[in-house]
């Protein structure tokens, strides 16, 4: 971020609220401080004037609403707000959110580098972060055009409003649970993965719809999907510069904020593969996931089924490539759980790495009978 923007004052008490949450991590907030933040949220929720928008984003985590712990931790409501600013260009919005998130992480890592040691792996982390941002820059953001993410990002840097929106996104979403520097890469990786899961679902749904309509865009959409589906693995490659010891230093502070609660992840798998009855136990543990066990979501027609029924060899080959890349991601995710939490239960109440292992392979997945789900919106960013 530019120095001028990074020091910009937000309206009212927003800067005070930011400093309060940044001081030692949200886990160190006192009961009185949490009550104050909840009160500020309630006041701005009731009074919807534009000047209160940033305060709402800053304090929604402390709402007395029944928000799942994962969403209190990951601040995905801020990402939903940002994506809502790009209703006609959701891919562009998600790409800009990815770049803002990773650019902020880069700035945080570079500021901390002089105080860190070789054991912190900062140099390697920055190299992998650079590679990830370059990978994102090469992505095409248009199905029927040649604009790359890098071109889009360059244009946004010259746009004052776009820079302001990116600043709001990063300052309202980067709060750690602990005071540990290394939690930054974990939190930002979680948020980047959520955007990746959303983008994969977006292209999967559009490709499936295109095949059904026969509008001639299916091959181009599957080609885009094949590139976007690599993002979770690239993000995890960067995240693996966080060693198990560094991870365990802050892991307890994240509480019950398990990614097993992620709607974007489960809906991505739902739209690619279909309903997986093996997940019903995990779904049933969380109120916001129970909707995945019922029609119309349970009955969504997956991309896999539509492609195989099409009989188009090019689409079938493209699907195979997509599934290989997703298999690689699931393998890395399982490997992360096995390395970082050996013999430890996952924070979402699952058996940790053992839970992940059960879902690495999809060959034995038998989807539910499929029905149509007219009017179901599967193209929006999902959060609670």
């Amino acid at each position: 971020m530019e120095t001028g923007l990074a020091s910009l004052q937000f309206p009212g008490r927003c800067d005070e609220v930011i400093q309060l949450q940044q001081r030692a991590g949200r886990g160190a907030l006192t009961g009185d401080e949490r009550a104050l933040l909840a009160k500020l949220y309630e006041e701005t929720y009731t009074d919807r004037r534009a000047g209160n928008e940033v305060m709402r984003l800053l304090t929604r985590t402390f709402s007395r609403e029944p928000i799942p712990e994962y969403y209190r931790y990951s601040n995905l409501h801020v990402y939903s707000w940002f994506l809502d600013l790009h209703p006609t260009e959701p891919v562009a919005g998600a790409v800009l959110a990815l770049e803002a998130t990773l650019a902020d992480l880069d700035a945080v890592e570079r500021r901390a580098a002089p105080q860190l040691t070789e054991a912190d792996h900062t140099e390697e982390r920055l190299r992998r972060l650079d590679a990830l941002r370059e990978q994102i820059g090469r992505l095409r953001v248009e199905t029927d055009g040649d604009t790359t993410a890098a071109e889009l990002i360059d244009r946004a840097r010259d746009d004052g409003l776009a820079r302001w929106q990116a600043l709001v996104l990063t300052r309202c979403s980067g709060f750690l649970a602990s005071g540990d520097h290394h939690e930054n890469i974990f939190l930002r990786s979680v948020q980047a993965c959520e955007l990746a899961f959303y983008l994969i679902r977006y292209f999967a749904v559009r490709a499936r719809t295109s095949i059904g309509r026969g509008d001639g865009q299916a091959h181009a959409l599957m080609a885009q999907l094949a590139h976007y589906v690599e993002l979770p693995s690239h993000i995890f490659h960067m995240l693996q510069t966080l060693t198990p010891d560094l991870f365990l230093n802050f892991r307890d502070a994240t509480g019950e904020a398990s990614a097993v609660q992620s709607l974007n992840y489960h809906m991505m798998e739902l739209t690619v593969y279909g309903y997986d009855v093996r997940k019903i136990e995990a779904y049933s543990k969380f109120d916001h996931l129970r909707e995945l066990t019922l029609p119309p979501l349970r009955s969504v027609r997956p991309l896999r089924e539509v492609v195989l029924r099409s009989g188009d060899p090019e689409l079938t080959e493209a699907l195979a490539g997509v599934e290989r890349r997703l298999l690689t991601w699931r393998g890395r995710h399982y490997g992360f759980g096995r390395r970082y939490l050996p013999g430890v239960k996952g924070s979402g109440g699952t058996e940790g790495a053992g839970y992940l292992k059960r879902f690495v392979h999809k060959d034995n997945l038998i989807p539910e009978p499929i029905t149509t789900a007219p009017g179901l919106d599967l193209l929006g960013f999902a959060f609670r």
Side-chain angles (χ1 to χ4, degrees):
M1 288 289 177
E2 297 173 12
T3 303
L5 283 175
S7 61
L8 190 61
Q9 291 275 317
F10 282 163
R13 301 180 67 181
C14 289
D15 281 299
E16 173 193 343
V17 166
I18 289 171
Q19 291 165 17
L20 180 64
Q21 296 184 66
Q22 286 179 334
R23 185 183 60 207
R26 282 173 164 171
L29 292 170
T30 67
D32 287 345
E33 288 167 339
R34 290 176 176 274
L36 169 64
L37 295 170
K39 180 174 179 288
L40 289 171
Y41 175 76
E42 289 168 2
E43 289 174 354
T44 55
Y45 182 84
T46 303
D47 184 354
R48 289 278 177 162
R49 285 179 293 184
N52 290 330
E53 186 171 49
V54 175
M55 182 63 82
R56 283 198 299 276
L57 295 174
L58 287 170
T59 56
R60 192 248 186 189
T61 290
F62 301 92
S63 165
R64 295 183 176 90
E65 300 168 6
I67 301 171
E69 286 304 308
Y70 175 70
Y71 292 98
R72 291 188 189 275
Y73 176 71
S74 58
N75 300 304
L76 294 188
H77 64 284
V78 188
Y79 285 83
S80 179
W81 164 82
F82 186 88
L83 293 175
D84 283 347
L85 301 174
H86 304 83
T88 62
E89 297 179 307
V91 176
V95 164
L96 289 173
L98 266 172
E99 168 59 18
T101 300
L102 298 175
D104 186 76
L105 175 61
D106 183 270
V108 167
E109 291 291 341
R110 291 185 188 279
R111 283 197 300 269
Q115 289 77 48
L116 300 177
T117 68
E118 187 176 341
D120 295 297
H121 303 286
T122 302
E123 289 187 13
E124 180 60 24
R125 184 172 300 166
L126 287 169
R127 279 195 291 271
R128 295 188 186 190
L129 179 54
D130 284 344
L132 173 59
R133 293 172 71 188
E134 289 175 6
Q135 176 78 15
I136 292 168
R138 290 192 288 270
L139 295 170
R140 283 197 303 113
V141 296
E142 300 169 325
T143 302
D144 53 358
D146 296 323
T147 301
T148 65
E151 293 167 330
L152 181 75
I153 291 164
D154 284 343
R155 289 202 296 267
R157 288 195 186 105
D158 295 329
D159 184 319
L161 178 59
R163 294 200 307 274
W164 165 254
Q165 292 167 346
L167 178 65
V168 174
L169 173 70
T170 55
R171 292 196 72 182
C172 294
S173 66
F175 300 113
L176 306 183
S178 71
D180 191 302
H181 162 75
H182 294 287
E183 190 185 344
N184 283 292
I185 189 174
F186 180 75
L187 175 60
R188 292 311 195 187
S189 295
V190 166
Q191 294 162 339
C193 279
E194 285 285 335
L195 291 165
F197 298 151
Y198 164 63
L199 283 162
I200 293 166
R201 169 163 53 91
Y202 177 86
F203 284 110
V205 171
R206 285 197 58 206
R208 182 201 66 182
T209 303
S210 178
I211 294 168
R213 291 177 178 169
D215 61 16
Q217 285 198 310
H219 293 87
L221 287 163
M222 288 294 290
Q224 277 183 290
L225 175 59
H227 291 291
Y228 279 85
V229 84
E230 293 179 340
L231 285 175
S233 286
H234 288 295
I235 294 166
F236 256 59
H237 183 60
M238 174 189 70
L239 178 59
Q240 285 169 333
T241 60
L242 180 70
T243 66
D245 286 344
L246 295 175
F247 174 64
L248 291 173
N249 284 339
F250 64 80
R251 188 246 182 186
D252 287 346
T254 65
E256 298 298 312
S258 170
V260 76
Q261 300 172 37
S262 168
L263 271 169
N264 278 316
Y265 176 69
H266 292 300
M267 289 179 69
M268 174 192 75
E269 292 221 314
L270 190 71
T271 55
V272 174
Y273 300 107
Y275 181 74
D276 190 342
V277 71
R278 298 173 300 169
K279 290 186 175 184
I280 195 165
E281 182 181 353
Y283 289 163
S284 299
K285 289 181 179 179
F286 305 101
D287 288 343
H288 71 287
L289 295 184
R290 286 186 184 135
E291 64 185 288
L292 299 174
T293 70
L294 303 168
L297 283 174
R298 182 168 179 153
S299 304
V300 163
R301 189 178 299 277
L303 177 65
R304 173 190 268 183
E305 191 262 355
V306 173
V307 168
L308 295 179
R309 280 183 177 270
S310 75
D312 185 317
E314 289 185 29
L315 292 178
T316 302
E317 183 179 355
L319 175 67
V322 166
E323 293 199 358
R324 280 195 303 272
R325 291 173 177 89
L326 285 175
L327 175 61
T328 298
W329 143 249
R330 291 193 299 274
R332 282 189 172 174
H333 194 192
Y334 165 56
F336 184 93
R338 188 176 59 181
R339 181 183 177 211
Y340 289 72
L341 296 172
V344 179
K345 275 200 169 187
S347 51
T350 69
E351 67 271 33
Y355 170 83
L356 298 173
K357 184 178 181 180
R358 286 161 55 195
F359 303 106
V360 169
H361 294 283
K362 299 293 185 181
D363 297 341
N364 57 346
L365 189 157
I366 303 174
E368 294 284 299
I370 296 164
T371 62
T372 57
L376 181 63
D377 178 17
L378 291 170
L379 294 177
F381 187 77
F383 81 103
R384 284 293 183 270

